[in-house]
Amino acid sequence: MKRDSVLRPPAATPPAGTPSRRSRAAGLLRACRPRQWLKNALVFAAPAAAGVLTTGAGLRGSLVAFAAFCLAASGSYLFNDAADVAADRLHPRKRLRPIAAGIVSVRLARTVGAALLAAGLLAGLAGGWPLAVVVAAYLALTFSYTLWLKHQPVVDLVAVAGCHVVRAYAGAVAVAVPVTSWFLVVVSLGSLLLVAGKREAELRARPGDGRIARATLETYTASYLGHVRVMASGAMIVTYCLWALQEHTGPAKAFCALSIVPFVLVVLRHALLVDRGVGEEPEELVLRDRPLQIFLALMLILLACGIQLA
């Protein structure tokens, strides 16, 4: 037996057979990852914090930004999965993705992806050229990640977190409200926390046969990613507390201060779930974990009361 055949894992191939038109269409929709559109809800954060989300103009601008990012994100997901098709076939879960499974061809994914990217830019332009510029910046970051940044340890964490921050910033641009340093710091640290938890869960889910689904995982350890989570969560809690206690007065301060309790509970619950090895898809945690949903709902209710009284 040749030396290379021992060191190199066997190539994974898509299942044989030609998928039907109906299964291809369903697979294409799944490849667009509609569940991950939940991440784009970050565009509502800045308008809500500024108290303009309940106005007609604020709601329209936020919805346009949400639609633009859903289209752009789905297009980037298609391109990313097309580029990662070989690696995804080595992953115990990602091998079931439509492109890796052979349900959707790489060519079709790239064609539809290009159309979605163009639609996302046009939707952003409908919300004004500043929003279109932010959407373009998001696409530049995601393509840089797909082509190069995801192969750079530590930088890949910051790049993915940066995509979340751009989403949040887009909401402010869409409705023309200023972005405070408090807002950016909390969103940035929260994004880093989620990404570190995702990588830690991926690290624990690696197959035990030596195959590598994501090259940068070889450079990480669970303890390092745990340190990143501790650092990000601690700094985020301190920043949020300073914002809640120093930037408000009167009844608004009381409600914002009370929101610290469910905010900390959200962070602690997320830490527990990641330690259990279920943080690989953060959006799934929000959709399935009832305690996390309750803590988030309570925090949002208290914040809404504080914003209305400000």
Side-chain angles (χ1 to χ4, degrees):
M1 183 179 295
K2 295 182 179 180
R3 179 182 176 87
D4 288 347
S5 63
V6 176
L7 298 179
R8 188 182 307 153
T13 56
T18 302
S20 66
R21 182 176 300 179
R22 183 174 182 179
S23 63
R24 188 183 297 113
L28 189 59
L29 176 61
R30 189 156 56 92
C32 289
R33 306 188 202 178
R35 285 192 175 187
Q36 296 203 20
W37 291 348
L38 183 63
K39 298 175 183 177
N40 299 321
L42 278 170
V43 302
F44 296 105
V52 301
L53 190 59
T54 54
T55 66
L59 182 59
R60 284 193 301 272
S62 300
L63 289 175
V64 169
F66 180 77
F69 271 84
C70 287
L71 292 168
S74 290
S76 64
Y77 290 146
L78 289 173
F79 272 98
N80 185 70
D81 288 355
D84 286 351
V85 63
D88 285 351
R89 287 172 182 160
L90 300 176
H91 193 278
R93 181 180 53 80
K94 293 181 181 180
R95 63 183 177 84
L96 302 177
R97 287 178 175 176
I99 301 174
I103 300 173
V104 176
S105 68
V106 171
R107 181 179 180 181
L108 177 61
R110 287 173 175 166
T111 300
V112 176
L116 290 174
L117 295 180
L121 286 171
L122 289 174
L125 192 59
W129 69 264
L131 178 60
V133 170
V134 177
V135 174
Y138 167 80
L139 292 178
L141 181 57
T142 57
F143 273 90
S144 298
Y145 174 81
T146 297
L147 297 175
W148 180 60
L149 296 179
K150 69 181 176 183
H151 303 299
Q152 311 303 315
V154 181
V155 176
D156 70 314
L157 301 179
V158 177
V160 178
C163 290
H164 299 326
V165 177
V166 172
R167 288 180 173 99
Y169 183 73
V173 171
V175 297
V177 296
V179 179
T180 66
S181 57
W182 299 105
F183 179 84
L184 284 179
V185 171
V186 171
V187 171
S188 299
L189 292 171
S191 301
L192 183 59
L193 173 63
L194 292 178
V195 176
K198 177 180 175 67
R199 288 292 181 270
E200 186 175 341
E202 289 177 342
L203 187 63
R204 294 180 178 182
R206 284 188 309 172
D209 54 7
R211 295 182 297 175
I212 303 173
R214 188 190 294 274
T216 52
L217 286 180
E218 290 300 297
T219 65
Y220 293 131
T221 63
S223 60
Y224 170 77
L225 293 170
H227 287 316
V228 174
R229 287 197 295 116
V230 170
M231 177 196 70
S233 60
M236 181 176 64
I237 289 174
V238 170
T239 304
Y240 185 88
C241 290
L242 291 174
W243 168 79
L245 298 175
Q246 294 185 3
E247 294 297 307
H248 303 87
T249 57
K253 182 175 182 178
F255 281 104
C256 290
L258 286 173
S259 72
I260 294 174
V261 177
F263 181 84
V264 173
L265 289 174
V266 168
V267 176
L268 294 178
R269 181 65 183 177
H270 174 262
L272 176 62
L273 294 173
V274 171
D275 282 345
R276 289 178 178 175
V278 293
E280 194 169 354
E281 297 293 343
E283 63 279 358
E284 292 291 331
L285 299 182
V286 178
L287 293 174
R288 296 183 179 180
D289 189 73
R290 185 56 56 84
L292 191 60
Q293 293 172 349
I294 293 174
F295 299 152
L296 280 171
L298 182 58
M299 182 187 74
L300 293 175
I301 290 172
L302 290 172
L303 282 176
C305 293
I307 291 169
Q308 291 300 318
L309 293 173

